[in-house]
Amino acid sequence: MKTSARVVVIGGGVVGCSVLYHLARNGWTDVVLLERQELTSGSSWHAAGGLFTVVRPNSAAEMHRYTFRIYRELEKESGQSCGFHFTGGINICRTQDEIDSNARMQSACRRLGIEGHFISLEEAKAKAPVLDTRHMVGAFWEEEGGHVDPASATNAFAAAARKLGAAIHRFTPVTATSQRADGTWDVVTDKGAIHAEYVVNAAGLWGREVARLAGIELPLMPVEHHYLVTEPIPMIEDLGFELPQINDNETGCYARQEGVGLLLGAYEHKMRHWAKDGTPPDFGHELLPDDLSCMEWNFEKSVEIMPCLAEAGVKRVINGPMIFSPDLGPLIGPHPALRNYFCANGVMAGFNQGGGIGRVLAEWIIGGEPSLDIFNWDVARFGAWATRKYTEEMTRYFYENRSEKVFPYQSFPAARPLAMSPVHDRLAAEGAVFGTGFGREHVTWYAPKGMEAKDSLTYRQPNWWGQVAEEGRRVREAVGLYEFSDMAKFEVSGANAGAWLDRIMANRLPKPGRLCLSPMLSESGRVIGDFTISNLGDRYLVVGTYAMQLAYLRHFRKYLPAEGVTLKNLSDDLAGLSIAGPKAQALISALAERDMDTTHFRFMDAGTMTLAGVHDVTTLRVSYTGETGYETYLAKADQPRLFDAIRQEGARHGLSLVGLRSLMMLRLEKGYPAWGTELAPDYYAHECGMMPHVKLDKGDFVGRDAAASYGLARERPLVLTVDAGEFAIWGDEAIFLDGEPVGYVSSGGFGPVVGKHIALGYVRPDAFREGGSYAVEVFGELRAAELQARPLYDPDGVVMRS
């Protein structure tokens, strides 16, 4: 066995073999895979191998599509069959909500050219004669659906990797991983040690144990998962063609043809965790004792639409363990606490996602970044708050409720609350409806007296629609108070603080007492961060998206010098309050022990001051609403005192408590982009309107060379008002021009003052046309839209500067 390699991949399931293959395919052939037993010994060998591509979000759809399409190519490269069956797929719709869900996915997938469309119940019956359509109200056809043979597909990745020069060592368990001072790794096995530049943990069921060898904990928990295979079914024997993949999302069931019978799998209504304390080290090609009572409800619902199941004998039952993250999504990417340590764990649908995961991890390792925004699967989306208890509760909830749809702005009840602001109880007493993000509770909206403080779940206009609009109007007319703690907050100090920040940020740093908005670019010029940077004289405060804080830290540390810079993550140490509206200046002037008029504290000023007797309050004159506004950050212990003072004085100025959804609606009237929708690593700075904040003449900075040589933009942003009527615009809807799809909505909502549905989005550059005949696809219907060349509210920005 070699004693050194550029990359060591730990784990020989489909994901590990895909990572190895993609590294070798991209020219890194000095790579080694270590497998404790035989290839596929974990969850891969007993997987169902189903394939589908119509899925959200967009990055997941791209990963599924890439994986689906690579199997044919892989068979040619490896000389090994993948057992690839291209059958298409049918999504069963039992309710109008499921039709709406599929219509939204159909529109979203137009961005990638993924084909899916509704078919009649008669067509569904013709494509899948096993169906009884009496329990269906609709059917959605996925062109790129099918399945692969798990063992064959895994071994095809392995064979292709070997052909390219990669090495695979079976029956070689890893017993230790230790990192050297230079960031490289020693990977120890019973056959010797390998010194590697990078380590990839793709250990599947043993991902937790392998992570602990490196001193980290991953939020993963194994569960039991059943599927059954029937005896031959006469109806299928006589078909003469293969059935499509059948997905019944509302019951958590999936089915496909297996031989001349059916394979039926279910996310059981009663799930059971397995090996919560750790996966047994000697577990391999074993199964768990089956208990079909766990999927009794699922089976009964499946018989409704596939009656032949009731008469079919059961040939075999598979109960195999799978390992999941809290939201059932993969954990991939560089671990934020370690150098050169990559994760490829918790992959629920390895044969649907494994090819795409191998692709982006190879890109990340070789090029320093993936080619698309995959934060929804990034290991950095979970912090230390994702404990074992949290992981257990969340995996149970999402598994048992797999049949439930995810609605816009939906928050889930499991494992809450974890972290709350010091004024949480005060907010709750006022009717606050809470959401959660990165482990913390935040106010989404306030229910008035007599109204239940709870979201209704719908793709159309929910119960909070009118109330959020009313909150927005109160901000525009007087002043609103936001609890504003959920921001990533970093303090940067030291002799080299300014030079370091100037190196990693694209804008010029502000002068003392001032702030600026700045994107952060990757080496290739992609937008990977969006910040407010305040120069407080002796230090800088850098504020960004709360959920991104570990991803930001990962990037910061990549360029952090050995000395001269002190970087502190104060995200959970500082609480926040924000006021905005035409009476905000009068309100803060009554609280401040200094002059706050526009001469002494201008728009984009920043300083530390005393407010209502509370000392050391960092105050920024900036607002995401487009109104006069102030963000304040202070010690958590002081937040209740300032909150009470603001409310007391605010009563004289028409103050209202407002939630973050009103903020997100108000910013639409200004056309302001948001992180994760209009701003993301999917875009270069010149494509998303950020070039005014990129100063190419300031000197060298990360991404400067790429930004200086940008080619033609692939897309350009736009703002549309939409005649959506009783519907709602949420994001991902396709944009049409002259009847042809030309782009997509990135986010949408309702302008509380302009009184219109607003969509922010992207179109091809040649499809940006004032006066053009635009439309937005809403639940399969084209709704007329109008391009807005200027912000709908205060287009010259006079209000927020006054």
Side-chain angles (χ1 to χ4, degrees), residues 485 487-491 541-543 568-571 574 633:
S485 297
M487 299 297 292
K489 301 173 282 284
F490 304 97
E491 181 184 275
L541 180 67
V542 180
V543 179
K568 294 180 181 178
N569 182 5
L570 302 180
S571 300
L574 296 178
Y633 300 102

Side-chain angles (χ1 to χ4, degrees), residues 251-275:
T251 65
C253 295
Y254 56 88
R256 66 167 174 82
Q257 187 170 329
E258 177 76 2
V260 288
L262 282 174
L263 181 154
L264 175 70
Y267 293 91
E268 300 93 331
H269 210 48
K270 299 177 181 177
M271 69 88 71
R272 292 191 298 209
H273 285 106
W274 175 78

Side-chain angles (χ1 to χ4, degrees), residues 300-378:
E300 289 176 356
K301 301 302 288 185
S302 293
V303 170
E304 288 180 353
I305 61 165
M306 292 180 286
C308 61
L309 283 170
E311 305 298 327
V314 177
K315 184 177 181 180
R316 66 179 183 274
V317 176
I318 302 295
N319 181 20
M322 303 168 69
I323 192 163
F324 296 144
S325 74
D327 59 11
L328 307 194
L331 302 178
I332 66 175
H335 194 280
L338 297 170
R339 287 176 62 193
N340 297 350
Y341 190 97
F342 282 75
C343 297
N345 305 104
V347 184
M348 179 179 70
F351 294 93
N352 237 333
Q353 302 165 345
I357 289 173
R359 166 191 151 188
V360 298
L361 277 189
E363 292 170 346
W364 220 331
I365 292 169
I366 295 171
E369 59 185 298
S371 59
L372 69 160
D373 176 22
I374 49 83
F375 183 73
N376 58 295
W377 286 356
D378 195 327

Side-chain angles (χ1 to χ4, degrees), residues 443-474:
V443 181
T444 59
W445 61 287
Y446 289 88
K449 289 182 180 181
M451 182 178 184
E452 185 181 13
K454 183 180 180 181
D455 287 347
S456 65
L457 299 179
T458 177
Y459 295 113
R460 309 198 177 203
Q461 292 181 20
N463 62 333
W464 50 264
W465 191 259
Q467 183 60 25
V468 166
E470 176 59 27
E471 290 179 15
R473 285 189 286 270
R474 291 173 188 165

Side-chain angles (χ1 to χ4, degrees), residues 77-406:
E77 288 187 37
S78 66
Q80 159 83 49
S81 170
C82 293
F84 179 53
H85 295 248
F86 190 165
T87 64
I90 293 177
N91 289 350
I92 303 300
C93 300
R94 294 173 179 261
T95 64
Q96 183 61 46
D97 273 347
E98 187 65 13
I99 289 178
D100 288 352
S101 176
N102 278 275
R104 283 175 48 75
M105 287 195 293
Q106 175 191 26
S107 194
C109 286
R110 292 189 192 279
R111 177 179 175 183
L112 294 173
I114 293 175
E115 174 56 31
H117 57 271
F118 286 94
I119 57 176
S120 69
L121 296 183
E122 291 75 20
E123 289 176 290
K125 179 77 172 177
K127 291 177 180 291
V130 296
L131 293 176
D132 182 345
T133 59
R134 289 177 297 176
H135 294 276
M136 298 166 54
V137 297
F140 187 83
W141 175 255
E142 295 190 38
E143 187 65 34
E144 294 181 310
H147 59 95
V148 293
D149 175 68
S152 298
T154 303
N155 280 288
F157 276 119
R162 286 191 185 102
K163 280 190 172 184
L164 292 167
I168 296 175
H169 297 285
R170 300 170 300 146
F171 304 102
T172 308
V174 173
T175 58
T177 59
S178 59
Q179 191 164 36
R180 298 184 183 183
D182 64 357
T184 61
W185 291 86
D186 291 310
V187 182
V188 182
T189 76
D190 60 356
K191 297 177 182 177
I194 302 178
H195 177 225
E197 186 177 352
Y198 297 94
V199 168
V200 178
N201 177 353
L205 289 171
W206 295 268
R208 296 172 297 173
E209 288 72 26
V210 169
R212 287 168 189 154
L213 296 178
I216 56 174
E217 286 289 330
L218 293 179
L220 295 167
M221 186 68 69
V223 305
E224 299 185 16
H225 180 71
H226 283 84
Y227 68 81
L228 60 85
V229 178
T230 72
E231 298 285 356
I233 295 175
M235 180 186 297
I236 297 176
E237 288 181 301
D238 297 336
L239 274 184
F241 62 88
E242 187 172 6
L243 291 171
Q245 178 93 1
I246 299 171
N247 297 308
D248 187 1
N249 296 318
E250 292 179 288
T251 65
C253 295
Y254 56 88
R256 66 167 174 82
Q257 187 170 329
E258 177 76 2
V260 288
L262 282 174
L263 181 154
L264 175 70
Y267 293 91
E268 300 93 331
H269 210 48
K270 299 177 181 177
M271 69 88 71
R272 292 191 298 209
H273 285 106
W274 175 78
K276 289 191 286 188
D277 295 326
T279 305
D282 57 349
F283 189 80
H285 278 83
E286 295 96 343
L287 292 173
L288 306 177
D290 61 87
D291 181 4
L292 288 180
S293 67
C294 292
M295 59 179 289
E296 182 177 352
W297 176 83
N298 310 80
F299 185 81
E300 289 176 356
K301 301 302 288 185
S302 293
V303 170
E304 288 180 353
I305 61 165
M306 292 180 286
C308 61
L309 283 170
E311 305 298 327
V314 177
K315 184 177 181 180
R316 66 179 183 274
V317 176
I318 302 295
N319 181 20
M322 303 168 69
I323 192 163
F324 296 144
S325 74
D327 59 11
L328 307 194
L331 302 178
I332 66 175
H335 194 280
L338 297 170
R339 287 176 62 193
N340 297 350
Y341 190 97
F342 282 75
C343 297
N345 305 104
V347 184
M348 179 179 70
F351 294 93
N352 237 333
Q353 302 165 345
I357 289 173
R359 166 191 151 188
V360 298
L361 277 189
E363 292 170 346
W364 220 331
I365 292 169
I366 295 171
E369 59 185 298
S371 59
L372 69 160
D373 176 22
I374 49 83
F375 183 73
N376 58 295
W377 286 356
D378 195 327
V379 66
R381 73 186 185 277
F382 292 108
W385 47 268
T387 61
R388 171 175 158 168
K389 180 177 183 294
Y390 173 87
T391 303
E392 183 175 344
E393 290 183 21
M394 291 296 285
T395 50
R396 177 177 298 282
Y397 176 83
F398 278 113
Y399 190 98
E400 290 186 343
N401 295 280
R402 183 76 176 163
S403 60
E404 291 188 1
K405 284 160 285 297
V406 177

